[in-house]
Amino acid sequence: MATILANRHLIGSAPRIVVKVGSSSLTGTDGGLAREALGELVATLSAARERGQDVVLVSSGAVAAGIAPLHFTKRPKNVRDQQAAAMVGQAQLMEAYSREFARRGITVAQVLLTPDDVVNRAHYANVLAALRRLLHYGVVPIVNENDAVVTDDLRFGDNDRLAALTAHLVGASALILCTDVDGLYSAPPTHPDARLISNVTDFSELKGYSITGKGSDVGTGGMSSKVRAADIATAGGVGTLLLATADLGKALDGQHVGTWFAPRKVRANARALWLKYSAQAAGMLHIDGGASMALQVGGASLLAVGITAVDGEFSAGELVQVVDAEGSLIGRGIVAFSAAEVKRFIGQAPYEHERRRAPRAVIHADDFVPLT
């Protein structure tokens, strides 16, 4: 199933695709759901499903769908108001998707994720098994970040990133990022010298271009977030197509539309990519030279004896950064102990009787991903 798709013209025959649609494509001028646009999207995805493709939809729009019912005049900036809009809007969004897919005999499932669902080893296994079972039964999973419960300190960042990580999680052959622009341009599309970039094989080629982070009034991302998502996806072997939502059907028919980001490497371990990209780190561990070599070369676990300092306040099970003696970031990992416990293990507590040995590795090898 997890085949690498090297050619954009083969997307229509890819065994499994992840499609991400942004808020701007699903929101009307009144701030509510653009139901006609949603219906057209569902028709296109249903056609793909009916010809045998597994489809996973990552859909923004929950907050946007809640704007009108709560009588907001624009997307709220306050986190609590955003969460309220998400709670109201998610129900409306899923109701609309369920009805449109059901008209075509297709069942959908709502999948709301937080970084902890995939950073935690046990949760990750459960999410993976659940998604694969849904696809086995021909269901279209509709994935979104659980905006109602996450905070700015623990979130994926945007649904473009979530879509890229989901593509790795489900073993997709391709990721399609749908937006309100027909591809990546060398400058803002309104600029007279802007030109469409049809293919990207090396991300260093984009350094000289003006790629902005400004999204629409109802969305959270911009073109830069989509380029970052393509970078994440292609780094693990998933080809990515960026296009206008209206051109999705053309792409699945093999037509040359949008911007194609070619996969750069063989398919990577999915959970390692989640650890690398999915969440902000809660703290930092400083380690000595021996521990640094063991982590980067030997694939070992991080023991307390190799830790020299601890920054930040974190609990057991949270994600932390690991830096070497020169202060260079070498990786990220899930800690088995809280910051206070790790400090006691390395003998930095003010009272001698508080010192004790760590009963196991501070970061297990399976919970560490190198960044160098």
Side-chain angles (χ1 to χ4, degrees), residues 34-52:
R35 294 182 179 272
E36 182 177 349
L38 185 144
E40 292 173 357
L41 171 68
V42 169
T44 301
L45 296 179
S46 296
R49 185 70 199 86
E50 289 164 3
R51 65 172 169 260

Side-chain angles (χ1 to χ4, degrees), residues 5 7-12 18-20 173-179 181-184 197-199 226 229-230 233-234 238-244 247-263:
L5 195 70
N7 191 322
R8 73 163 81 197
H9 302 296
L10 299 176
I11 284 182
V18 171
V19 178
K20 186 267 176 179
S173 299
L175 167 65
I176 305 175
L177 299 173
C178 300
T179 183
V181 183
D182 60 347
L184 177 66
I197 302 170
S198 180
N199 293 283
K226 291 164 181 57
T234 58
V238 180
T240 302
L241 184 63
L242 171 63
L243 43 59
D247 290 336
L248 177 59
K250 296 178 182 177
L252 293 174
D253 286 339
Q255 297 185 41
H256 192 101
V257 293
T259 301
W260 172 249
F261 298 85

